[in-house]
Amino acid sequence: CNMSALNISKKRKFVADGVFYSELNELFSRQLAEDGYAGLEVRVTSATIEIIIKATRTQDVLGEKGQRIRELTSVVQKRFNFPEGAVEIFADRVANRGLNAQTQAESLKYKLLGGLAVRRACYGVLRFVMESGAKGAEVSVSGKVRGQRAKTQKFSDGYMIKTGHAYEEYVETAVRHVMMRQGVLGVKVAIMLPHDPKGIMGPKTLLSDIITILEPKGEESRAY
């Protein structure tokens, strides 16, 4: 009986953690949309909860003399009833914004809102992503692009995998809703990251269909 109670509490904990993360992500992606928000990381230590905001323009996230980040800390603290000083928010700069799907989806959203033609905007994002060293990229825009009929336009470049465990490791996706005058457009950006043995620019693990054949060590050519 005790075991089942323990399981439920563990299950509840995972769900609560997920909800906490989602709510923070929603808040930050709305508040920091124009500062190149690119995701967050939550670290729980014994005394505090550390929230690391990844963004391209960290200076704007911090605000003047750290004003903005203090406001965000206060909002999170009040919303989740944390004691004073239990939450710490840090801003971390994204190493390569061209390989970040959220940043690129946001950039595409602002291009479309600015009145740039869909094809031109999508190819611009694709080119920037590929020049940043991605293995492949795909951008799709669906909705009433022209006329009354809704349709999906897909633009892709390079190499892109769609399924399997490698997809989870290698492909980063982001979706944004663009409120256009004629209706809502859905924007989806998928970026296939390059392999990086250091694990900074992309995943450490090799794709499962890449096989390295090693030469046998110290095998002299023996006459049989």
Side-chain angles (χ1 to χ4, degrees), residues 132-152:
S132 301
K135 245 186 183 172
E138 192 175 88
V139 176
S140 63
V141 176
S142 54
K144 288 197 281 189
V145 179
R146 288 170 65 177
Q148 278 302 301
R149 186 87 177 147
K151 59 172 185 279
T152 303

Side-chain angles (χ1 to χ4, degrees), residues 90-215:
F90 303 102
D92 185 20
R93 199 193 174 100
V94 172
N96 190 343
R97 68 194 177 101
L99 296 179
N100 190 283
Q102 293 202 42
T103 313
Q104 292 312 310
E106 207 63 58
S107 139
L108 181 54
K109 175 179 168 178
Y110 282 106
K111 280 181 180 176
L112 293 173
L113 285 171
L116 196 64
V118 172
R119 185 177 288 262
R120 188 136 179 229
C122 290
Y123 278 126
V125 167
L126 270 186
R127 198 173 71 240
F128 183 67
V129 169
M130 294 307 285
E131 281 170 4
S132 301
K135 245 186 183 172
E138 192 175 88
V139 176
S140 63
V141 176
S142 54
K144 288 197 281 189
V145 179
R146 288 170 65 177
Q148 278 302 301
R149 186 87 177 147
K151 59 172 185 279
T152 303
Q153 291 187 357
K154 249 188 197 169
F155 305 90
S156 54
D157 196 356
Y159 177 59
M160 174 70 68
I161 52 173
K162 299 281 182 181
T163 54
H165 178 64
Y167 173 82
E168 290 170 22
E169 286 200 318
Y170 271 88
V171 180
E172 218 187 72
T173 57
V175 175
R176 289 286 180 276
H177 308 303
V178 188
M179 311 297 177
M180 302 289 276
R181 205 174 63 236
Q182 70 267 33
V184 182
L185 289 185
V187 164
K188 186 176 181 185
V189 176
I191 298 172
M192 176 137 170
L193 303 171
H195 169 251
D196 182 7
K198 292 196 184 84
I200 300 164
M201 301 282 274
K204 279 184 189 175
T205 45
L206 272 167
L207 283 167
S208 45
D209 58 353
I210 293 175
I211 296 164
T212 318
I213 298 172
L214 302 171
E215 287 295 318

Side-chain angles (χ1 to χ4, degrees), residues 4-21:
S4 69
L6 193 99
N7 276 347
I8 288 169
S9 63
K10 196 164 260 189
K11 190 154 85 179
R12 283 235 175 100
K13 183 190 178 304
F14 276 104
V15 171
D17 285 353
V19 169
F20 177 62
Y21 180 90

Side-chain angles (χ1 to χ4, degrees), residues 15-36:
V15 171
D17 285 353
V19 169
F20 177 62
Y21 180 90
S22 303
E23 205 162 313
L24 286 180
N25 195 28
E26 180 78 13
L27 169 74
F28 295 148
S29 55
R30 286 185 188 199
Q31 289 293 323
L32 310 172
E34 293 176 34
D35 309 307

